[in-house]
Amino acid sequence: MCNLFNEVADLAEDSQEKHEKVMTRLLELKRELIESSINSYSIGDGVLPSKEITNILDPIHLRRKGRPPTKRK
């Protein structure tokens, strides 16, 4: 998607009219995608899921196989 958008942005950088056309279509597309995602969530029990914050924890430290490392190398 990024490659395609970069090509479109390069084509639209020549004039203000092209720039405005691309921006209006992007905003329309964004609005459509938001509406479709809201509709897909509201089909269930009518409640939108909240965006819960989940903490990402560090991985559990495991010992390696074999002899433990020493300070003397």
Side-chain angles (χ1 to χ4, degrees):
M1 282 192 287
C2 291
N3 290 338
L4 181 60
F5 180 75
N6 285 335
E7 291 175 18
V8 171
D10 288 339
L11 292 172
E13 72 182 359
D14 296 339
S15 70
Q16 185 67 24
E17 181 181 311
K18 291 178 183 179
H19 177 265
E20 290 174 3
K21 183 184 278 189
V22 169
M23 291 304 293
T24 54
R25 290 199 183 166
L26 283 174
L27 292 173
E28 290 172 4
L29 180 62
K30 179 183 174 183
R31 185 174 55 244
E32 289 174 11
L33 291 173
I34 289 172
E35 288 174 359
S36 68
S37 66
I38 289 174
N39 290 339
S40 66
Y41 285 133
S42 64
I43 291 174
D45 55 351
V47 178
L48 294 175
S50 63
K51 294 184 179 178
E52 297 177 8
I53 298 175
T54 58
N55 292 334
I56 299 175
L57 303 175
D58 291 332
I60 298 172
H61 177 70
L62 299 175
R63 299 186 107 191
R64 293 183 175 177
K65 292 172 62 174
R67 183 176 179 196
T70 61
K71 292 184 181 180
R72 185 176 178 189
K73 299 279 180 172

